[in-house]
Amino acid sequence: VADVEAAKAAKAAAEPPPASGPAGPAATSSSSAAPGPSSEELKALISSIPTKRDELYACEVEWEVALSCGALEERIRPWVSKKMEEYLGEDEPTLVNFVLDKLAARTAAAEVEAEVAKVLDEEAEPFTVKLWRMLLFEIKRAKATPS
């Protein structure tokens, strides 16, 4: 289940934000897409990220890439907000800001998990695993996208 959720999160993260105006078939064709990894390359990036908690948390996080590419605000904040709403039943901007502040401070995954466990209880581990997979995916995607 965590793999499916992480793949969905990574796929959602790989999709560009919706453009204003109608989006027809041309909006999703590869010829009009911004330069970046192909869907096959994105799948390879996703599969290169560990799914087991201990292996995942042991991965080196290239924080400079994460912070410089805008992934925290553009991709991860909306995802965290959505997850908090799913888990808690309402929008929790303070908790979302707390999680993003932890990431911006380069906090280790296990510490993030311990902190969110105070609110999410048993959902803390699956949430943090998904969050960390998404973070690593966004870093890999940023590195694979020509600047």
Side-chain angles (χ1 to χ4, degrees), residues 32-52:
S32 66
S38 68
S39 64
E40 292 80 26
E41 291 167 327
L42 291 173
K43 287 176 186 173
L45 291 178
I46 293 167
S47 66
S48 72
I49 300 169
T51 56
K52 294 194 175 12

Side-chain angles (χ1 to χ4, degrees), residues 26-38:
T28 58
S29 74
S30 59
S31 62
S32 66
S38 68

Side-chain angles (χ1 to χ4, degrees), residues 15-80:
E15 295 170 357
S20 58
T28 58
S29 74
S30 59
S31 62
S32 66
S38 68
S39 64
E40 292 80 26
E41 291 167 327
L42 291 173
K43 287 176 186 173
L45 291 178
I46 293 167
S47 66
S48 72
I49 300 169
T51 56
K52 294 194 175 12
R53 179 188 180 274
D54 293 340
E55 293 172 23
L56 181 64
Y57 288 11
C59 287
E60 179 184 346
V61 177
E62 296 179 63
W63 291 107
E64 289 305 320
V65 176
L67 298 170
S68 67
C69 75
L72 293 183
E73 288 300 320
E74 294 173 20
R75 302 292 189 174
I76 294 177
R77 178 180 291 279
W79 181 84
V80 171

Side-chain angles (χ1 to χ4, degrees), residues 30-144:
S30 59
S31 62
S32 66
S38 68
S39 64
E40 292 80 26
E41 291 167 327
L42 291 173
K43 287 176 186 173
L45 291 178
I46 293 167
S47 66
S48 72
I49 300 169
T51 56
K52 294 194 175 12
R53 179 188 180 274
D54 293 340
E55 293 172 23
L56 181 64
Y57 288 11
C59 287
E60 179 184 346
V61 177
E62 296 179 63
W63 291 107
E64 289 305 320
V65 176
L67 298 170
S68 67
C69 75
L72 293 183
E73 288 300 320
E74 294 173 20
R75 302 292 189 174
I76 294 177
R77 178 180 291 279
W79 181 84
V80 171
S81 181
K82 178 181 156 211
K83 286 296 175 190
M84 291 303 153
E85 198 165 332
E86 284 176 18
Y87 291 138
L88 304 173
E90 60 184 311
D91 188 24
E92 287 290 341
T94 304
L95 188 54
V96 173
N97 289 337
F98 177 79
V99 171
L100 271 287
D101 289 348
K102 289 290 180 188
L103 295 178
R106 305 172 184 210
T107 306
E111 189 178 330
V112 171
E113 181 181 316
E115 291 290 331
V116 298
K118 296 171 185 174
V119 176
L120 298 181
D121 298 322
E122 71 276 353
E123 296 296 339
E125 183 179 329
F127 167 78
T128 309
V129 166
K130 293 171 195 171
L131 172 66
W132 226 251
R133 287 198 80 213
M134 185 172 191
L135 175 65
L136 294 177
F137 170 78
E138 289 300 336
I139 291 167
K140 289 176 180 268
R141 184 166 70 134
K143 290 174 62 178

Side-chain angles (χ1 to χ4, degrees), residues 4-25:
V4 172
E5 276 294 317
K8 285 180 185 177
K11 182 180 179 211
E15 295 170 357
S20 58

